Amino acid sequence: MILQPSRFPKLLALAKGRDCVRCGNNEGSTVAAHYQGYRSHSYSKGRGIKPHDAMTAFLCYQCHSIADSSVFANSPEAHSREFLLLIIATQMHLLLEGRTIARGLAPVFTTKLMLNASDLPDCSETELHETACRLAQLWDSKEITIAPAGAMVSSFVGVSQ
């Protein structure tokens, strides 16, 4: 699966002032770090073009530097797997906090994802890739969106109250 380049500036802006999804640090340097790894081109990365904006993890400066380097993991597949876990964790945090909402059929997928979150560390890189791509597709179809300001959001299924 190859994603088309999609930009979601409001999603990227949500990183500001947040805890790092990797280390929990919140010293003000957290940004939406775009995926770096051997699947970059599958996520629409090209020369001078960042990957799909849904393929980001909210990382502090130090963790972002590590994620962009070869010290993140001991192999390209392990690197990709670790980054994909962080991307999925970022998306789950946003849904749980009500910063994003799921509509249409997305709540079925996101609810299943949340209920099986403890199994994610045991998933293969390919399974994590498929999950992250599905989340990006839900952004593209607008089934996952930024929650309206002041909206009350119920749980992680994204049902507005």
Side-chain angles (χ1 to χ4, degrees):
M1 164 178 296
I2 296 180
L3 298 173
Q4 297 301 310
S6 295
R7 300 293 164 237
F8 299 97
K10 290 181 180 180
L11 170 61
L12 302 182
L14 289 176
K16 186 176 182 175
R18 295 185 56 87
D19 294 345
C20 175
V21 75
R22 183 172 181 260
C23 73
N25 192 352
N26 185 352
E27 84 290 346
S29 69
T30 301
V31 295
H34 286 83
Y35 173 91
Q36 295 293 320
Y38 76 93
R39 288 192 189 266
S40 291
H41 296 290
S42 296
Y43 306 143
S44 74
K45 181 176 177 8
R47 178 175 270 180
I49 300 171
K50 290 192 177 283
H52 191 291
D53 281 350
M55 301 304 289
T56 57
F58 292 175
L59 302 175
C60 67
Y61 176 80
Q62 183 176 5
C63 290
H64 190 183
S65 295
I66 293 168
D68 284 350
S69 72
S70 60
V71 298
F72 196 45
N74 59 3
S75 72
E77 183 174 345
H79 179 276
S80 180
R81 191 176 170 287
E82 179 73 16
F83 214 129
L84 290 169
L85 277 169
L86 296 171
I87 289 166
I88 294 166
T90 297
Q91 293 289 328
M92 291 187 338
H93 283 281
L94 292 171
L95 285 162
L96 284 168
E97 295 167 7
R99 302 299 300 264
T100 58
I101 55 174
R103 300 177 178 158
L105 297 176
V108 174
F109 177 78
T110 57
T111 300
K112 184 178 175 184
L113 181 61
M114 298 291 182
L115 292 173
N116 295 307
S118 62
D119 296 334
L120 286 172
D122 297 326
C123 288
S124 70
E125 190 276 343
T126 300
E127 292 168 320
L128 295 171
H129 160 73
E130 291 169 1
T131 299
C133 281
R134 181 67 183 127
L135 287 166
Q137 289 173 327
L138 292 171
W139 274 96
D140 287 340
S141 68
K142 297 183 177 33
E143 290 184 70
I144 294 180
T145 60
I146 302 296
M152 293 295 295
V153 179
S154 169
S155 174
F156 53 81
V157 295
V159 178
S160 296
Q161 296 179 344

